[in-house]
Amino acid sequence: MKTEKSGFNSKLIHGGDFHDSLGSAVTPIYQTSTFSFKNADHGARCFSGEDDGYIYTRLGNPTIEDLEKTVAELENGFGGIATSSGMAAVNTVYLGFLGAGEHIISHNAVYGPSRVVMETLYPKFNVESSFVDATDINNVINAIRPNTKLIYLETPANPTIGISDIKAISKIAHEKGIPVCVDNTFCSPYLQKPLDLGADIVLHSMTKFINGHADIVAGMIVTKTEEQYKMLRSVMMNVGCNMDPHQAFLTRRGLKTLAIRIDRAQENAIKVADYLEQHPKVEWVKYPGLKSHPQYELAKMQMSGPGAMISFEVKGGLKAGKTVMDNVQMALLAVSLGGIETLIQHPASMTHSKIPQEKKLEAGITGGLVRLSIGIEDVDDIINDLKQALDKV
Ligand SMILES: *Cc1c(COP(=O)(O)O)cnc(C)c1O
């Protein structure tokens, strides 16, 4: 008899409910591009949708579907759409919701390419955008226009760790008939469930916490309704930004330990944030678990834990920021986040370097800003590593 899998960890392990006639304990990799039909009628029924048989991997594949079902369950959504990367998920949502003469409102400190693509590529199709500080809901309200077709949030945002109120913004958006999408990469469904808070769409770079082992690039979209699922799935299938079965297999494997990885990384991050906050060479620390965080109360309400992402400002600007980067020994100097290893990066010269200087400052991306993705190593080693690097400033 199957047991009920109502708890989060049970869903991580058993979600997707894949079974085959051989009794495989894990979902196998169906590394095939196409699936043969039993006969012409069966082929016709698969195409018409009367039969849910597989047709072609860009349209659907059992390994990928298992992952889609699992993440959709974790986010309490209708269905999941796996994509080749997080940016493929972002662009699928942009393409699905926005057309010529329409407008998107987004946070001014979202993931670099999520903003860059909107400001450089989409104007070719006459899509307008407003990037505002969405941590203040009034900025979002003031940016709404009659042609606004999507509010796109990322919370906590990258790299400033600013937090936007998903519930309050969704309420206002829905009064005007505008859907809300949340990039939930920094939290994963373990720490935040945007659909439960009122958002319509949630997306992930599964490259980060969901896979968690820094060995693949992958994305996922989860919708609340069947209608939006069908619309976005069709965009993904026709654009061709589908996931590969092997990528799905690795992601599904990484996902099983999501909660225990985040618990450990978060426990470490709380100690690292406390350490940095009292360090004389640190101007400020942004971490949702610190009382000094401007949206500390909101974070407590909409997230079930403060997570493993910390940003801090080293006294001495760009030069000091670079000194820390050049002197850490254990932390890897690398972009990306959410893996088991501690990573350190410098947004001003790396992830957000393509954003013009005045827009960077407006979004709070200063020269001395250093971003940490805390891993699951021994916390004393992480702190000692930062200590000796800060000593060199
Ligand atoms: C990494 C990241 C993305 C893009 O994902 P890729 O998998 O690199 O394409 C989008 N949003 C956030 C918040 C990210 O951290």
Side-chain angles (χ1 to χ4, degrees), residues 85-87 90 111 114 154 183 185-186 205 207-208 217-218 337:
S85 69
M87 281 315 297
V90 173
Y111 183 70
S114 301
E154 185 183 312
D183 181 337
T185 299
F186 269 39
S205 167
T207 312
K208 317 296 166 53
V217 169
L337 59 106

Side-chain angles (χ1 to χ4, degrees), residues 1 22 38 81 93 104 128 203 207 209 245 273 303 317 340:
M1 202 180 82
L22 301 175
K38 294 184 190 91
I81 302 156
V93 169
I104 178 177
E128 301 165 13
L203 66 82
T207 312
F209 285 102
M303 295 158 68
I340 49 181

Side-chain angles (χ1 to χ4, degrees), residues 162-182:
I163 294 173
S164 310
D165 191 334
I166 299 172
K167 203 178 208 167
I169 292 173
S170 298
K171 189 163 174 282
I172 282 159
H174 292 160
E175 282 164 11
K176 310 227 177 233
I178 306 167
V180 175
C181 175
V182 177

Side-chain angles (χ1 to χ4, degrees), residues 197-220:
L197 293 163
D200 304 275
I201 313 288
V202 56
L203 66 82
H204 287 279
S205 167
M206 299 197 296
T207 312
K208 317 296 166 53
F209 285 102
I210 288 187
N211 176 59
H213 293 73
D215 50 11
I216 52 114
V217 169
M220 181 71 78

Side-chain angles (χ1 to χ4, degrees), residues 327-350:
N327 287 287
V328 289
Q329 286 170 8
M330 183 174 76
L332 301 180
L333 230 75
V335 298
S336 196
L337 59 106
I340 49 181
E341 56 287 285
T342 296
L343 304 181
I344 187 165
Q345 77 112 340
H346 188 231
S349 66
M350 297 178 180

